[in-house]
Structure formats: C-alpha cells, structure tokens
C-alpha cells in the first residue's frame, strides 16, 4: 500500500487580514488535497476583517471578519517543509513586514523559485524584502507607487504571473488568481 505524500502550503498572515483572502485560498487548497497551514507572528487566532468596495467611499471600508485559527508562529516555520506560499492582503502585511521571520520566509520562497501567491496589500512584504525589482506584478492599486519605487513593474490586471510569482489586486480577482496559482502546484 502506497501513501500519498502530504503537500504543505504555508499561508503567512496576521490580525486584520482580509477574511476572504485567507479563507478562499485555505479552502481551495484543502479542496485540492493540499495541507495548508496558517502562520502568524505569535501563532494565535487571526482576527480578520472584511473590506468592501462601496460606491460612496473613495477607498475600501472595513468591518470585523472571522476568527481564523493559526497553526504555528513565524518562528516555528521551517520553510523547506512547504512547497508554496500564500500571502493574503488586508492590513496584516502592513505590520507583519516588520517581523524579521516573515521577511526571511518570503525571501526563502522567492529565492528558491517556489510558487508564491500574493494578493492585495501582500505586495508590502515583497517591497519590504526587496523582492520586486524587475518583477511584473499587480496589487491593490493604491500600492502602485510602492511597487514601482521598489523596482517592480505594476500592471492593473486581475492576475499577473511572473515566473513563480502570482499576484492579484484584491478578493474580487480570486477566480483567476487561484486558477493561476493552482497551475503552479499541479
């Protein structure tokens, strides 16, 4: 009797992550038979938020989202164990980019050309890690100046694939974003 190899995918996030940008990849990966694990700065429950796009607002609005259990802390992550990385957006990337372990994790995946899915504000981790130079990518459009100043090539498209990096603007782009990311895993 042969046993199928467990294929681990890391989701790197924290409080105020966009709920849909954590839950949709988490469930899609499970559905496809992967073993996703959520890492947060301290390995505690994530208090996610819901960002919505309302016509009378100049930017997105924010409401409380789901509580999502974490599996481990950033310090516990052994990056070699995982074959891919998902970085959800929301406000979490804004502060987790200041965590040295987070930057080391992202750098491991990018330098080893493992699949990386980064959506919305996840670009802030790529910028902070100096990992945008020469890379074509998309993100939440308000981050275009950050990406370009970091040497990235911004494209206002629902999903952009550049080698191992798959990026999207925000949760409305999930269908194309996850379709392209899943191609990297199969």
């Amino acid at each position: 009797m042969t046993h199928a190899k467990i294929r681990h995918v890391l989701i790197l996030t924290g409080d105020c992550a966009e709920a849909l940008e954590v839950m949709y990849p988490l469930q899609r990966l499970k559905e496809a038979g992967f073993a996703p694990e959520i890492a947060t700065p301290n390995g505690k429950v994530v208090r996610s938020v819901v960002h919505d796009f309302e016509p009378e607002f100049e930017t997105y609005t924010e409401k409380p989202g789901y509580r999502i259990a974490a599996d481990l802390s950033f310090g516990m992550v052994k990056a070699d164990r995982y074959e891919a990385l998902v970085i959800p957006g929301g406000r979490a990337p804004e502060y987790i980019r200041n965590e040295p372990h987070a930057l080391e994790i992202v750098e491991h995946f990018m330098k080893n050309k493992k699949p990386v899915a980064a959506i919305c504000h996840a670009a802030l981790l790529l910028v902070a890690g100096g990992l945008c130079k020469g890379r074509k990518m998309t993100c939440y459009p308000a981050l275009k100046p950050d990406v370009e100043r970091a040497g990235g090539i911004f494209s206002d498209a629902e999903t952009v694939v550049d080698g191992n990096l798959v990026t999207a603007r925000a949760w409305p782009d999930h269908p194309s974003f996850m379709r392209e990311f899943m191609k990297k895993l199969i």
Side-chain angles (χ1 to χ4, degrees), residues 11 45 59 64 71 112 119 133 174 176:
I11 299 174
V45 169
T59 188
D71 298 296
N112 288 288
I119 188 168
K133 190 167 182 70
H174 270 151
S176 67

Side-chain angles (χ1 to χ4, degrees), residues 14-157:
D15 282 335
C16 295
E18 163 53 52
L20 286 173
E21 293 173 8
V22 176
M23 295 301 291
Y24 187 84
L26 176 69
Q27 292 174 337
R28 179 67 189 93
L29 287 161
K30 285 181 179 181
E31 175 187 57
F34 291 89
E37 294 180 356
I38 296 175
T40 65
N42 297 310
K44 68 174 194 65
V45 169
V46 172
R47 289 173 182 85
S48 70
V49 295
V50 174
H51 290 135
D52 209 351
F53 305 100
E54 299 180 29
E56 63 274 9
F57 283 81
E58 293 176 3
T59 188
Y60 54 84
T61 62
E62 183 174 283
K63 300 165 191 77
Y66 299 106
R67 293 172 53 90
I68 305 167
D71 298 296
L72 66 166
S73 70
F74 292 168
M76 296 168 63
V77 171
K78 305 286 185 239
D80 287 337
R81 180 173 190 254
Y82 302 93
E83 61 183 78
L85 174 66
V86 176
I87 312 169
R91 284 189 294 118
E94 176 184 316
Y95 74 90
I96 67 173
R97 67 184 164 163
N98 295 302
E99 296 281 337
H101 288 302
L103 294 179
E104 290 166 8
I105 291 165
V106 176
E107 184 176 323
H108 167 85
F109 285 89
M110 293 296 288
K111 296 230 169 166
N112 288 288
K113 300 188 182 339
K114 293 181 180 180
V116 174
I119 188 168
C120 194
H121 283 75
L124 291 173
L125 277 160
L126 300 170
V127 168
L131 301 166
C132 294
K133 190 167 182 70
R135 300 302 294 257
K136 185 174 179 188
M137 58 192 294
T138 193
C139 57
Y140 190 67
L143 299 182
K144 175 184 177 186
D146 302 271
V147 167
E148 291 180 340
R149 285 187 190 111
I153 304 157
F154 177 81
S155 175
D156 189 9

